[in-house]
Amino acid sequence: MTDDTHTYQLEISPVPVVLSCAISFLGAYAAMVTFEQYRLCSYMSISPKLFGPNAELAIIAILLGGVAIWTMHFVGMSSCVLKYRDVDIVSPIYYRIGLTFASLVAVIVLCFIGKDPTNVVAAMSFS
Amino acid sequence: MTGVYVSSRDSLFAMDRTDAIADYYQRASALSIQEAKKKGKYAFLIETLFRNMLPLCLGGIFTAMGVCVMHYIGMVAMEFDGHIVWNQGIIAASVLIALIASIAAYWILFRVLVVFPNVEALRLVCAVLAAVAVNGMHYTGMAAATFVYTDKTTIIEDSPNLVPQNQAMVGAVVAGILMSFFALALAINDLRGWLFSTARVMKELDMQAIDPHNTTDKGESFLNTYKTLREKSKSGKHSKNNKKIIQLRLSRPKSASDFRSDCPDESGIGDSIGQSQTRIPSSNQKYSPSPSSSGHPISQVVPVEDDNKDMIISNRVFHKRNLPTDQALPASTGVNVV
């Protein structure tokens, strides 16, 4: 680190932290409850459903990845306040929209894969 | 455990749909008393809880990867006056936290909850573990970042591609609520489909239950039904038409006078559905209790000795038609036994 660089003073406000913990817990619990429906769905995987078990997996991925991780992340990031050390001024933080939505898509896709890697193996073997 | 557990491609990759539940109870019932005495009391349980860990770890790795990739993409998306210097050791620690906690959550979800599905506390613990995975990874990952600014301040342009932090938080909360409602709508819709299918299965089971010759008990007949339907769904896994046919194999034959087909076009063997004949109890005397009968009204049904073959009932809608019992069957609607 050269002489002309300075580190920010990172302050974390507690309210968004608590909020982010609550959001991630609620999203994860909703995903776990939905997983029971997924079990029932695949138990009765005989008859026509409006959606198959993969739709249940998609719901779980949205709840876990979208709500419990992505929303939690940006609520949690809003807790951090960057302050210059020498002057008492808060530095504003911005987010790039494209990368933000790319992260949402990435987490949902990876959670969808991670909930049942069997699907990936089957898709690879059938294609 | 020899001979009880049949390893197949399904069980190799099976994450555990409810196959694991069926498998567990099948193995538990097949486990004889001697074998249970040889092994310890909890040995079987422990072996069940810790078997087939590879897909579990694979799923945990994918999900931890999702958490980490999301977090660091979100950090890279930050735009401020300066840049971020990363501490690689803390990054590795955050990845490890996500990995361990998500695998633990998946272990509870896929293994423990399969054996003890009614324990709500386990589900809470599982959600807490997932939240620990996410939050621990997030704040450890934030601790890995050092925000650095130089003397030359960069002025961030007011471009439409950039969102300020407060708006990003509000937008994320709104998007989270929207995603929750979307998931709720999907889940309700899917539950509706599941209820439909369950109602159909229960209808078929009810038809089995009123069969006076059905000597098998309900659990066994349910198991047979489940096995038949399971084979059906396995064979036609990727064709939708196969799933739409629910067929039951009844263990006992019916007499010719008991069932009649009401639709003439359904009576042929070469049906479009194939091997499905619709035969219904045509005389509603069987189902209306009469004071002259002794005992239950369905005990009036007179069995016929020959005709030992199995009978298949399709899942078509049955229309009852009132016909006198002594009326002879038309030739076109003769009873077809598959």
Side-chain angles (χ1 to χ4, degrees):
Chain A
M1 220 176 281
T2 53
D3 288 338
D4 57 343
T5 60
H6 313 277
T7 56
Y8 278 106
Q9 190 178 357
L10 182 65
E11 287 188 358
I12 290 183
S13 50
V15 177
V17 173
V18 175
L19 203 63
S20 69
C21 289
I23 285 172
S24 66
F25 172 72
L26 285 178
Y29 185 65
M32 300 311 159
V33 170
T34 318
F35 200 84
E36 296 301 315
Q37 192 182 333
Y38 170 69
R39 275 200 189 117
L40 286 176
C41 232
S42 25
Y43 189 73
M44 292 288 179
S45 70
I46 321 116
S47 40
K49 284 176 288 292
L50 300 183
F51 308 109
N54 280 340
E56 290 288 333
L57 278 186
I59 295 171
I60 294 164
I62 287 172
L63 282 173
L64 191 72
V67 177
I69 299 173
W70 188 79
T71 306
M72 174 266 153
H73 175 86
F74 283 99
V75 172
M77 286 306 282
S78 76
S79 72
C80 82
V81 177
L82 297 182
K83 276 188 177 176
Y84 297 104
R85 286 199 189 275
D86 37 4
V87 277
D88 194 16
I89 300 173
V90 175
S91 170
I93 300 175
Y94 295 88
Y95 291 96
R96 289 178 210 137
I97 289 182
L99 277 176
T100 305
F101 281 103
S103 68
L104 176 63
V105 172
V107 74
I108 287 181
V109 167
L110 280 170
C111 279
F112 183 80
I113 296 171
K115 273 294 174 186
D116 200 351
T118 323
N119 283 330
V120 183
V121 174
M124 278 160 59
S125 66
F126 273 108
S127 62
Chain B
M1 232 38 62
T2 54
V4 177
Y5 182 56
V6 181
S7 70
S8 63
R9 181 184 169 279
D10 268 343
S11 64
L12 191 67
F13 289 115
M15 197 66 181
D16 357 23
R17 313 233 163 150
T18 331
D19 283 342
I21 299 179
D23 190 34
Y24 175 76
Y25 286 110
Q26 198 179 352
R27 290 168 76 203
S29 61
L31 195 70
S32 58
I33 301 170
Q34 296 94 15
E35 214 166 336
K37 276 179 184 172
K38 273 182 204 168
K39 296 184 166 252
K41 193 179 177 184
Y42 298 106
F44 176 66
L45 180 66
I46 288 170
E47 188 193 336
T48 310
L49 288 183
F50 287 98
R51 79 190 176 88
N52 205 4
M53 289 297 277
L54 179 66
L56 195 75
C57 293
L58 211 64
I61 286 169
F62 270 112
T63 310
M65 205 159 77
V67 182
C68 297
V69 163
M70 192 268 130
H71 178 78
Y72 289 110
I73 287 180
M75 293 286 275
V76 163
M78 281 174 78
E79 189 90 6
F80 60 99
D81 176 21
H83 60 277
I84 298 175
V85 176
W86 296 101
N87 187 340
Q88 282 146 11
I90 304 182
I91 288 179
S94 73
V95 172
L96 210 63
I97 287 173
L99 201 58
I100 290 173
S102 62
I103 286 178
Y106 273 11
W107 179 70
I108 290 181
L109 184 61
F110 289 115
R111 295 286 180 271
V112 187
L113 267 172
V114 163
V115 184
F116 308 103
N118 293 327
V119 185
E120 187 65 28
L122 279 176
R123 221 159 284 134
L124 282 169
V125 168
C126 189
V128 165
L129 270 176
V132 163
V134 177
N135 279 294
M137 191 271 143
H138 178 81
Y139 291 108
T140 317
M142 267 176 72
T146 310
F147 300 92
V148 173
Y149 66 95
T150 56
D151 285 337
K152 292 176 275 185
T153 56
T154 54
I155 297 166
I156 299 166
E157 293 175 2
D158 206 11
S159 93
N161 292 327
L162 295 177
V163 186
Q165 196 178 32
N166 291 332
Q167 289 181 20
M169 176 204 167
V170 173
V173 169
V174 169
I177 291 171
L178 282 180
M179 280 187 287
S180 303
F181 275 105
F182 179 64
L184 180 70
L186 276 178
I188 287 174
N189 223 350
D190 201 69
L191 184 66
R192 195 169 55 134
W194 180 78
L195 282 175
F196 278 150
S197 63
T198 312
R200 288 171 92 180
V201 173
M202 296 315 276
K203 191 178 161 192
E204 303 279 355
L205 286 174
D206 277 350
M207 294 202 57
Q208 272 192 346
I210 63 169
D211 176 19
H213 316 303
N214 194 3
T215 53
T216 59
D217 62 325
K218 275 201 171 182
E220 192 182 339
S221 71
F222 182 82
L223 202 64
N224 288 333
T225 311
Y226 173 71
K227 278 178 185 170
T228 314
L229 299 177
R230 186 79 198 158
E231 283 166 14
K232 202 74 192 168
S233 75
K234 270 186 183 174
S235 65
K237 203 173 182 181
H238 295 284
S239 72
K240 283 185 177 176
N241 285 331
N242 250 338
K243 285 187 177 179
K244 287 183 180 172
I245 303 171
I246 294 181
Q247 286 183 340
L248 291 180
R249 195 168 283 272
L250 298 184
S251 55
R252 280 286 301 154
K254 298 287 175 299
S255 69
S257 60
D258 282 345
F259 296 101
R260 275 168 209 178
S261 171
D262 56 338
C263 305
D265 52 47
E266 285 185 359
S267 60
I269 296 182
D271 207 299
S272 63
I273 293 185
Q275 64 172 348
S276 73
Q277 280 91 39
T278 309
R279 284 176 295 178
I280 53 154
S282 59
S283 56
N284 51 357
Q285 293 176 4
K286 310 283 189 299
Y287 301 101
S288 62
S290 59
S292 65
S293 69
S294 61
H296 202 262
I298 38 180
S299 65
Q300 291 178 358
V301 179
V302 182
V304 168
E305 305 80 22
D306 51 6
D307 191 7
N308 279 322
K309 295 174 185 173
D310 287 341
M311 196 193 72
I312 291 173
I313 291 181
S314 78
N315 63 333
R316 299 199 171 186
V317 181
F318 298 124
H319 304 287
K320 272 189 185 176
R321 201 168 59 171
N322 296 334
L323 287 175
T325 349
D326 50 353
Q327 182 187 335
L329 285 169
S332 63
T333 58
V335 175
N336 298 306
V337 177
V338 182

